[in-house]
């Protein structure tokens, strides 16, 4: 992985971590009072918070690995490739669960038809990723 690409991936992952934290905070500010009052479904609300936590930390760990891949001469090529591949996988995990969150929020507020469509689109995305991710992740050292 080129140094400039690895550095850009660090920045993108940090930005996605920050966005995930902002979404998490938004969920707490607006939905937690409704959760306490029993106005929203408890299980999807809590699942959404867990999903946002997984997304946030996946992006944060991806940033760490991409940073390791950007270190140039301080890290060997085999380690840089390993860090980049781990960063790719963590970034993907973060994206997958981040894209699940909207359907969970819609289930939380009781918009079942819309939530079902969002969930179906998420499943299509998941299948797309399973099929295409192996071709776009950092190539193995060898």
């Amino acid at each position: 992985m080129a140094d400039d690409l690895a550095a850009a991936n660090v920045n993108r992952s940090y930005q996605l971590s920050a966005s995930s934290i902002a979404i998490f905070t938004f969920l707490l500010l607006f939905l937690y009072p409704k959760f306490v009052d029993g106005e929203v479904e408890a299980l999807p609300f809590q699942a959404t918070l867990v999903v946002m936590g997984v997304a946030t930390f996946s992006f944060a760990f991806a940033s760490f690995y991409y940073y390791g891949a950007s270190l140039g001469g301080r890290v060997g090529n085999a380690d840089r490739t390993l860090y980049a591949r781990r960063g790719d996988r963590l970034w993907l995990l973060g994206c997958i669960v981040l894209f699940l969150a909207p359907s969970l929020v819609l289930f939380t507020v009781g918009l079942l038809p819309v939530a079902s469509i969002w969930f179906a689109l998420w499943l299509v995305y998941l299948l797309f990723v399973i099929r295409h991710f192996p071709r776009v992740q950092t190539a193995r050292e060898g």
Side-chain angles (χ1 to χ4, degrees), residues 46-128:
Q46 292 177 38
T48 303
L49 296 178
V50 170
V51 161
M52 292 309 302
V54 171
T56 302
F57 283 97
S58 291
F59 291 134
F61 287 127
S63 297
F64 177 80
Y65 278 116
Y66 285 137
Y67 177 74
S70 73
L71 292 177
R74 293 189 280 173
V75 177
N77 280 341
D79 286 336
R80 290 180 69 191
T81 300
L82 178 65
Y83 292 161
R85 288 179 65 81
R86 287 179 180 169
D88 290 346
R89 290 179 186 141
L90 287 164
W91 181 85
L92 179 64
L93 174 63
C95 281
I96 287 171
V97 297
L98 184 63
F99 293 150
L100 176 60
S103 60
L104 291 174
V105 168
L106 290 166
F107 281 120
T108 298
V109 296
L111 296 173
L112 299 182
V114 179
S116 298
I117 292 169
W118 273 81
F119 186 72
L121 290 170
W122 179 79
L123 289 174
V124 169
Y125 173 71
L126 185 62
L127 293 172
F128 176 83

